[in-house]
Amino acid sequence: MLRYIVKRLLLLIPIILGVSAIIFILKTFTPGDPARQILGNDATQEQVDAKREELGLNDPVIVQYVRYIGGVVRGDFGESYRTGEPVLSEIVPRLATSAKITLGAVAIGAVLGILLGILSALKKYTWVDSLVLVISMFFQSVPEFVVALVLIMIFSVKLHLLPATGIETVKGYILPMVCVGLSSVASYTRITRSSMLEVLSEDYIRTARAKGQTEGNITYHHALRNAMIPVAQSIGTNLGNAIGGGMVLETVFGVPGVGKYIVDSITQRNYPSVLGGALIIAIVLTIINLVVDISFVLIDPRLKTTIISGGSKAPKKAKAAA
Amino acid sequence: MSENILEVKDLVIHYETDEEVVEAVNDITFTLKKGQVMGLVGETGAGKTTTALGIMGLLPSKVGHVIQGSIKLEGEDLLRKSPREMRDVRGKRISMIFQDPMTALNPVKTVGDQIAEVVLLHNRCSKAEALKRAQEMLAMVGIVPERYKDYPHQFSGGMKQRIVIAIALACEPDLLIADEPTTALDVTIQAQILDMMRKLQKDHGTSMILITHDLGVVAEMCETVAVMYAGQLVEFGSLEEVFDNPKHPYTRALYQSIPSLDKDVERLHVIPGMVSDPSNLPPYCSFFERCDEKCDRCRDFEPWAVEVDPGHVVRCLQYTPEWNGGEK
Ligand SMILES: Nc1ncnc2c1ncn2[C@@H]1O[C@H](COP(=O)(O)OP(=O)(O)OP(=O)(O)O)[C@@H](O)[C@H]1O
Ligand SMILES: [Mg+2]
């Protein structure tokens, strides 16, 4: 098990190197001088030059890159050009806010999607099935910010039930969570439906019927757990999408999360913050995917042998007496 | 109480899909006495599994339909029972062992739980008692009872089949339907499993329908034999009658198709021609095209069942007054 975790964490190295390389390359091609950006238009050229020297912007890009990676290894993501604060300490509280919204969104999307998927599998080829398909396709194809604006119109402007922006109260979380969540419903519905249909036609379902088991228990005890395996696997992927969607929506809803932080930093050419934000999200995603994969073991006992012992065979059990 | 455990009469089962109607079982009639073992043999696609699923009430929903007939278990017509009543029958009074043990067990449940499930469904007992029964059953089929906590993927194919048998026998059913219980296993394991099944069947006096391709197995285990062809029972009778005195041309051809040690393997007789397509059966004898005993009148009639000797029924024109001489 430990070997497996270490192996997976080692994957972080190419991810960090790659993500930061991309952003460094973008940085060299973007016009404008970050030093000028920080000091404002009133600063003299000498002041700007001094700042450039201080920030190390005069060094070759490759030197800057190596220096940056060296910092990351020590947990130093640089300082924000705008505030001078360490990027890490600016991001951590925002990360918590984003995490709440993302987790809420994944929960809403997964619960709704799984329920709808089960429903359409049990009622396959009926009008219920088609209706579920249409609804979930609708939420998948309409852009999230459009859904967001419509929900703001209804719940904030017309009904005055929920705030349009900000997260001063807990209510502020609801609309962003729902918007991001709805966009992933279709994907969960589709995966649940097809995996449920596949599982329901398995021989062991017939075995359960041959025991005299009720249809309800067959769905719940025999089919669901098997059908959830691909669904759980898709949570990792959906999480990435939810974070991406969340970034845009944080700006729409004025939520001070990592997404808004990165978007704001991009407009300010605040490279350390952009880079730090992107890297931290990549690291968090990798770790979450690892946790998701390990948790499969809880659902599917067959994986225990492959994951825990890192691929080698499980110890041989006592042979049958015959 | 009648001495028959099962009476199937005039049973017709169709599969109706969008494209076609498959006439899988066409008007079959047979009876099984208490404690007896009946062999149900026939080529692939003959309708053996369909017959078994019909008896179990497990035909695929929407597609499989019983068109007519009756299936009486100790005099009660199963076809008239509600889904709820059928659930009480399945697993308790009739159990079935399916063709493929590899896929018959739920991969995410321990084998102990899977045996205990059927015990809990049909007995008033606690989970702990059911698990204890599960361990007894494992021991009975020759698996170390402590392994009840293991998952199906930790067992070999032969052991999985033993577990499937343990599930089927856990509630001591009156009737066991075994659908090719050993075809998916290799030859040495086949013999072990069959020995075990025969012993359990004898000990408990269970009545059994054994579906198989293997006439050797039938000869060893069965008291009566039903030969199926294209959804019909072409011959039914006691093992001695059917084996020593086969009446139907298909049964005779089948015997010639078994490789035998004392015969020259080179002369292995393969029945020429293809099995009739059950979605497009002729209005006359469905074995006509492949029969080497047919006469010119065979095309005019769908043969009906004739009792040639007491308890020995054959569906062939030869044994009716319509027959006008073979061309052997
Ligand atoms: N779900 C289904 N839908 C449509 N046709 C079916 C279905 N199941 C079986 N059939 C058809 O019914 C006929 C009888 O099938 P069945 O499975 O009863 O044969 P069998 O005698 O058990 O064969 P085997 O020895 O291969 O198991 C075959 O022609 C088969 O194609
Ligand atoms: Mg079959």
Side-chain angles (χ1 to χ4, degrees):
Chain A
M1 186 69 154
L2 195 66
R3 254 184 57 199
Y4 177 74
I5 294 175
V6 171
K7 233 160 71 188
R8 287 287 299 264
L9 288 179
L10 284 179
L11 274 181
L12 274 175
I13 295 172
I15 291 174
I16 290 175
L17 289 179
V19 170
S20 32
I22 291 172
I23 294 173
F24 260 89
I25 291 167
L26 286 180
K27 180 172 138 185
T28 51
F29 287 114
T30 343
D33 184 350
R36 169 66 71 190
Q37 192 88 21
I38 296 168
L39 296 173
N41 284 334
D42 301 338
T44 63
Q45 189 57 46
E46 286 80 62
Q47 284 173 308
V48 172
D49 287 342
K51 194 75 187 172
R52 284 190 66 88
E53 196 57 44
E54 183 197 327
L55 294 174
L57 292 176
N58 293 330
D59 298 332
V61 179
I62 187 78
V63 174
Q64 292 183 41
Y65 179 71
V66 171
R67 190 190 309 134
Y68 183 78
I69 296 295
V72 168
V73 171
R74 279 176 276 114
D76 174 8
F77 289 84
E79 279 95 41
S80 161
Y81 286 170
R82 200 171 63 85
T83 60
E85 295 289 319
V87 170
L88 192 62
S89 58
E90 282 194 331
I91 284 181
V92 167
R94 290 159 195 268
L95 196 61
T97 306
S98 296
K100 278 182 216 155
I101 291 180
T102 310
L103 288 182
V106 168
I108 292 173
V111 168
L112 266 180
I114 291 171
L115 288 179
L116 288 176
I118 295 172
L119 186 68
S120 48
L122 294 180
K123 306 264 176 215
K124 66 171 170 180
Y125 309 134
T126 66
W127 62 270
V128 180
D129 189 17
S130 323
L131 185 70
V132 167
L133 183 73
V134 169
I135 292 178
S136 59
M137 285 310 289
F138 176 81
F139 283 111
Q140 190 180 36
S141 34
V142 177
E144 282 152 35
F145 67 89
V146 174
V147 177
L149 293 178
V150 171
L151 290 183
I152 290 177
M153 279 296 287
I154 298 174
F155 290 98
S156 312
V157 181
K158 287 266 185 280
L159 299 175
H160 301 290
L161 283 176
L162 299 168
T165 59
I167 48 160
E168 286 73 38
T169 60
V170 181
K171 278 184 180 172
Y173 283 102
I174 297 179
L175 284 184
M177 280 181 183
V178 170
C179 284
V180 182
L182 284 181
S183 65
S184 61
V185 167
S187 136
Y188 288 115
T189 306
R190 206 164 342 107
I191 297 171
T192 307
R193 179 183 185 273
S194 67
S195 118
M196 211 44 198
L197 285 180
E198 195 184 316
V199 167
L200 282 174
S201 67
E202 292 282 354
D203 283 355
Y204 56 80
I205 297 296
R206 193 171 59 178
T207 308
R209 293 206 173 101
K211 290 175 185 174
Q213 188 55 279
T214 60
E215 287 302 310
N217 275 334
I218 287 172
T219 309
Y220 186 72
H221 288 295
H222 286 276
L224 204 52
R225 207 166 137 201
N226 282 293
M228 281 303 104
I229 293 169
V231 179
Q233 268 157 350
S234 76
I235 286 182
T237 342
N238 271 306
L239 210 61
N241 295 341
I243 289 176
M247 284 199 180
V248 179
L249 287 188
E250 280 178 9
T251 310
V252 175
F253 285 104
V255 174
V258 186
K260 188 162 186 305
Y261 181 76
I262 293 179
V263 171
D264 289 349
S265 302
I266 290 174
T267 44
Q268 294 157 354
R269 293 216 182 71
N270 188 351
Y271 291 110
S273 300
V274 175
L275 200 47
L279 284 186
I280 289 171
I281 286 183
I283 293 170
V284 168
L285 257 182
T286 311
I287 293 174
I288 291 176
N289 270 318
L290 177 62
V291 172
V292 169
D293 284 356
I294 291 174
S295 63
F296 288 150
V297 174
L298 301 178
I299 312 183
D300 188 350
R302 281 165 298 182
L303 291 174
K304 210 176 259 165
T305 6
T306 37
I307 286 192
I308 291 189
S309 59
S312 60
K313 283 260 162 68
K316 277 246 152 58
K317 290 270 172 92
K319 276 259 166 68
Chain B
M1 277 289 203
S2 75
E3 58 163 6
N4 291 336
I5 178 92
L6 187 72
E7 294 170 8
V8 173
K9 202 164 184 306
D10 307 328
L11 185 65
V12 176
I13 300 175
H14 290 179
Y15 291 109
E16 290 169 12
T17 60
D18 290 344
E19 300 91 44
E20 55 179 14
V21 175
V22 180
E23 302 176 32
V25 171
N26 302 310
D27 194 18
I28 65 170
T29 299
F30 65 86
T31 53
L32 179 64
K33 289 199 172 66
K34 279 200 177 123
Q36 257 188 353
V37 181
M38 179 183 108
L40 184 55
V41 297
E43 277 164 295
T44 176
K48 307 180 296 294
T49 301
T50 306
T51 307
L53 292 177
I55 296 170
M56 291 291 285
L58 285 179
L59 289 169
S61 61
K62 300 207 177 101
V63 181
H65 301 279
V66 174
I67 304 294
Q68 67 159 66
S70 66
I71 301 169
K72 289 202 171 111
L73 181 71
E74 293 184 282
E76 302 165 40
D77 193 344
L78 297 181
L79 296 175
R80 291 174 189 279
K81 286 190 182 286
S82 68
R84 215 199 127 90
E85 290 168 323
M86 274 313 283
R87 285 205 293 273
D88 290 337
V89 171
R90 284 198 289 269
K92 171 75 188 151
R93 296 174 63 194
I94 314 179
S95 280
M96 181 157 172
I97 299 169
F98 292 101
Q99 232 160 334
D100 188 358
M102 299 305 176
T103 54
L105 296 168
N106 189 332
V108 303
K109 285 172 164 289
T110 64
V111 299
D113 279 348
Q114 297 190 55
I115 304 173
E117 180 182 11
V118 67
V119 178
L120 280 169
L121 276 168
H122 299 291
N123 297 284
R124 284 168 172 273
C125 69
S126 68
K127 178 92 199 272
E129 286 164 336
L131 276 174
K132 206 162 152 279
R133 173 76 182 148
Q135 294 181 55
E136 282 168 30
M137 289 310 297
L138 283 177
M140 197 165 106
V141 296
I143 290 176
V144 184
E146 287 72 36
R147 294 201 61 184
Y148 75 102
K149 281 189 185 145
D150 286 350
Y151 290 91
H153 72 276
Q154 293 165 298
F155 294 88
S156 69
M159 287 159 106
K160 279 188 193 140
Q161 190 61 301
R162 285 164 191 264
I163 294 163
V164 170
I165 292 170
I167 293 175
L169 294 178
C171 292
E172 306 195 321
D174 306 320
L175 173 62
L176 177 67
I177 304 175
D179 189 356
E180 299 184 34
T182 56
T183 1
L185 307 172
D186 67 57
V187 187
T188 46
I189 313 280
Q190 280 184 12
Q192 282 179 13
I193 298 273
L194 286 172
D195 277 349
M196 186 191 81
M197 286 184 59
R198 183 170 33 206
K199 184 171 169 297
L200 294 175
Q201 184 269 332
K202 287 244 160 67
D203 290 355
H204 296 264
T206 317
S207 319
M208 187 158 116
I209 297 177
L210 178 64
I211 299 176
T212 176
H213 288 163
D214 188 337
L215 291 174
V217 171
V218 174
E220 245 176 278
M221 295 194 55
C222 302
E223 283 138 278
T224 56
V225 186
V227 182
M228 242 182 139
Y229 185 82
Q232 289 184 330
L233 276 193
V234 292
E235 184 152 5
F236 175 73
S238 69
L239 181 73
E240 293 73 24
E241 289 281 351
V242 176
F243 268 52
D244 298 340
N245 193 10
K247 296 285 190 196
H248 196 281
Y250 176 65
T251 319
R252 297 201 244 252
L254 265 188
Y255 290 130
Q256 288 171 27
S257 74
I258 330 174
S260 142
L261 282 181
D262 46 52
K263 272 194 236 150
D264 193 351
V265 186
E266 227 119 311
R267 285 211 321 269
L268 182 72
H269 181 98
V270 178
I271 307 176
M274 296 271 288
V275 195
S276 315
D277 175 5
S279 61
N280 185 20
L281 290 176
Y284 47 89
C285 177
S286 43
F287 191 57
F288 179 81
E289 306 297 342
R290 299 169 78 187
C291 185
D292 53 11
E293 298 174 24
K294 60 195 167 208
C295 80
D296 47 9
R297 300 208 64 188
C298 286
R299 259 177 178 282
D300 301 339
F301 299 91
E302 163 117 67
W304 54 93
V306 181
E307 192 161 13
V308 285
D309 288 308
H312 189 175
V313 180
V314 185
R315 237 181 220 264
C316 176
L317 211 62
Q318 282 184 42
Y319 308 99
T320 71
E322 306 299 336
W323 183 253
N324 66 357
E327 50 196 44
K328 277 198 240 186

